[in-house]
Amino acid sequence: MSRRGLLFILSGPSGVGKGTVRKALFEKEGNELKYSVSMTTRNMRDGEVDGVDYFFRSREEFERLIEEGKMLEHAEYVGNYYGTPLDYVNQTLDQGYDVFLEIEVQGAMKVKEKVPNGIFIFLTPPDLGELKARIIGRGTDEMSVIEERMEVAKQEIEMMSHYDYAVVNDKIELAVERIEHIIESEHLKVSNVLAHYKEMMKEW
Amino acid sequence: MSRRGLLFILSGPSGVGKGTVRKALFEKEGNELKYSVSMTTRNMRDGEVDGVDYFFRSREEFERLIEEGKMLEHAEYVGNYYGTPLDYVNQTLDQGYDVFLEIEVQGAMKVKEKVPNGIFIFLTPPDLGELKARIIGRGTDEMSVIEERMEVAKQEIEMMSHYDYAVVNDKIELAVERIEHIIESEHLKVSNVLAHYKEMMKEW
């Protein structure tokens, strides 16, 4: 059975703990998900490996890939591009692996335009009061900065309606389990196994 | 949170082990699914309780419910009607419970007509050779009877395309776990939690 892998996208509001949950998911025994390697135009640092930490590319090449529609999503940060190369994702899916992206809400919506059959998981705080506390608790920021972050978080939560699943991040282990069960269930969808059964029927 | 429950329908070809899997699922600790009580026109037997084992009703009332479209599905067997009453299912869902039906493929397709947003799970044999063995192994039936059953099983497997999920019944415990994970994932669907989050947003 060489079925194509599935593309999972984990996203959610800033400060909800996406990175921590993704890390815990990948560290679990038996994890077979492939984390998508990002592409960047920034310089390679000591110890970094091209194709492992990032795909390191020139600004010209990165811009060419954007123009050709070969970046699933991208953003510019401190003068450098960062993004998810479409070809790498497709090759990994073709090899039968599930690919897992952990990205910001804005990026996730761009991915949805290009891969509508991706499975979009929205990580949410246990309650919005909790998220508020996390935003305020980050440091000694001015009230206007906090309010701006609150407004951004509110807008991000409203993006939930574009996602397939909402996973509450009340406890990391529980959030990870929920995501694992979503991944399992998606593989049990008839749309993903029908071709295989039709093949078996021929032999009957 | 008084959310409406979800309707799950477990079905699959004859002899695949639907009843055994359903029983094991319901016997698991923490099970909160409600099994739909069927309605019948046959006489109540000693020890049976109306509304527990079956809803015992007259032929006239059963036929009236069919005419009024108030049976989710029904069949006649040895001169008696058997079926799933729609009102009972709806009331249980309204109370916030998930309802679980375990029925034949023909009945499941009738349920789909009336409740398209039900979650349809197709239980499949590990491989079709295994199903063949189970059909043949049932007793000392004539070859023509076996061939007829094989043809029926083949047609039933082709019905899989109308379902949402396909669960392999390789081991009962594994099949039960897969169904539990499907149930959990369905509850995590954004379509099922969005109203709740919109309510929380108001308080922000």
Side-chain angles (χ1 to χ4, degrees):
Chain A
M1 281 184 270
S2 57
R3 292 183 215 156
R4 201 165 191 260
L6 302 175
L7 176 63
F8 295 92
I9 300 95
L10 180 68
S11 191
S14 309
V16 77
K18 294 186 287 291
T20 316
V21 167
R22 191 260 304 163
K23 199 159 170 282
L25 177 68
F26 273 74
E27 281 170 358
K28 274 194 82 165
E29 213 183 298
N31 167 59
E32 289 180 358
L33 295 165
K34 296 283 176 187
Y35 186 58
S36 170
V37 178
S38 294
M39 191 174 281
T40 184
T41 58
R42 78 154 168 74
N43 291 327
M44 206 188 294
R45 291 170 193 156
D46 274 354
E48 285 186 333
V49 179
D50 184 41
V52 176
D53 298 287
Y54 283 100
F55 293 110
F56 295 95
R57 295 291 182 271
S58 67
R59 202 169 172 85
E60 291 67 36
E61 184 167 356
F62 203 111
E63 285 176 345
R64 188 178 57 78
L65 290 171
I66 295 171
E67 273 167 37
E68 291 176 354
K70 291 199 165 176
M71 295 306 289
L72 256 179
E73 51 85 32
H74 70 277
E76 207 166 352
Y77 180 70
V78 204
N80 281 305
Y81 284 122
Y82 293 82
T84 309
L86 184 58
D87 282 353
Y88 174 76
V89 168
N90 274 330
Q91 282 159 19
T92 314
L93 292 172
D94 284 341
Q95 286 163 13
Y97 293 107
D98 291 341
V99 176
F100 196 90
L101 301 182
E102 175 236 315
I103 47 178
E104 301 301 320
V105 174
Q106 304 302 327
M109 289 301 95
K110 288 181 196 163
V111 174
K112 200 175 161 80
E113 283 168 26
K114 300 208 176 184
V115 192
N117 68 343
I119 298 125
F120 292 78
I121 303 171
F122 194 85
L123 197 67
T124 71
D127 62 74
L128 300 191
E130 168 76 10
L131 179 63
K132 205 167 167 175
R134 284 196 215 182
I135 290 171
I136 296 168
R138 273 195 176 178
T140 54
D141 296 308
E142 276 176 42
M143 208 48 214
S144 63
V145 176
I146 289 172
E147 274 169 10
E148 199 191 312
R149 282 208 202 111
M150 293 273 287
E151 189 50 39
V152 170
K154 201 170 171 177
Q155 285 169 9
E156 284 176 330
I157 284 170
E158 279 165 2
M159 300 301 280
M160 193 200 282
S161 58
H162 302 290
Y163 286 71
D164 299 299
Y165 296 96
V167 166
V168 179
N169 189 17
D170 45 1
K171 278 194 172 181
I172 294 166
E173 314 85 77
L174 292 178
V176 166
E177 264 185 27
R178 289 176 194 126
I179 293 170
E180 287 178 319
H181 295 164
I182 288 168
I183 292 169
E184 183 186 352
S185 294
E186 284 291 329
H187 278 280
L188 297 173
K189 283 208 170 159
V190 163
S191 49
N192 286 325
V193 297
L194 198 61
H196 171 62
Y197 274 89
K198 284 197 171 157
E199 198 57 39
M200 285 210 302
M201 294 291 291
K202 283 183 193 162
E203 294 159 24
W204 222 21
Chain B
M1 282 183 269
S2 57
R3 292 183 214 154
R4 202 165 191 258
L6 301 176
L7 178 62
F8 294 92
I9 300 95
L10 180 68
S11 191
S14 309
V16 76
K18 293 185 287 292
T20 316
V21 168
R22 191 260 303 163
K23 199 159 170 283
L25 178 67
F26 273 73
E27 281 170 358
K28 274 193 83 166
E29 214 181 297
N31 168 58
E32 288 180 358
L33 295 166
K34 296 281 176 187
Y35 185 58
S36 170
V37 178
S38 293
M39 190 174 281
T40 184
T41 58
R42 78 155 166 76
N43 290 327
M44 207 188 295
R45 291 170 193 157
D46 275 354
E48 285 185 332
V49 179
D50 183 42
V52 176
D53 298 288
Y54 282 99
F55 292 110
F56 295 94
R57 295 291 182 271
S58 68
R59 202 170 173 85
E60 290 68 36
E61 185 167 355
F62 202 112
E63 286 176 346
R64 187 177 57 78
L65 290 171
I66 296 172
E67 274 166 36
E68 292 175 354
K70 292 198 165 176
M71 295 305 290
L72 257 180
E73 53 85 31
H74 70 277
E76 207 167 352
Y77 180 70
V78 203
N80 281 305
Y81 284 122
Y82 293 82
T84 307
L86 184 58
D87 283 353
Y88 173 77
V89 168
N90 274 330
Q91 282 158 21
T92 315
L93 292 172
D94 285 341
Q95 287 164 15
Y97 292 108
D98 291 342
V99 177
F100 196 90
L101 301 182
E102 176 235 316
I103 47 178
E104 300 301 318
V105 173
Q106 303 302 326
M109 288 301 93
K110 287 181 196 164
V111 174
K112 200 174 162 83
E113 284 170 26
K114 300 209 175 184
V115 192
N117 66 343
I119 298 125
F120 292 78
I121 303 171
F122 194 85
L123 196 67
T124 71
D127 62 75
L128 300 190
E130 169 76 8
L131 179 64
K132 206 167 166 174
R134 285 195 214 182
I135 290 171
I136 295 168
R138 271 193 176 177
T140 54
D141 296 307
E142 277 177 41
M143 208 49 215
S144 64
V145 176
I146 290 172
E147 274 169 10
E148 200 190 311
R149 282 208 202 111
M150 293 273 289
E151 188 51 39
V152 169
K154 199 170 172 178
Q155 285 169 10
E156 285 176 331
I157 285 171
E158 280 164 1
M159 300 301 280
M160 192 200 283
S161 58
H162 302 289
Y163 286 70
D164 299 299
Y165 296 97
V167 166
V168 179
N169 189 18
D170 44 2
K171 279 194 173 182
I172 294 166
E173 313 85 78
L174 292 179
V176 166
E177 264 185 28
R178 288 175 195 127
I179 293 170
E180 288 178 318
H181 295 164
I182 288 169
I183 292 169
E184 183 187 352
S185 294
E186 284 290 330
H187 279 280
L188 297 175
K189 283 208 170 159
V190 164
S191 49
N192 287 324
V193 297
L194 198 60
H196 172 62
Y197 274 91
K198 284 197 172 157
E199 197 58 39
M200 285 210 300
M201 293 292 291
K202 283 183 193 161
E203 296 158 23
W204 224 20

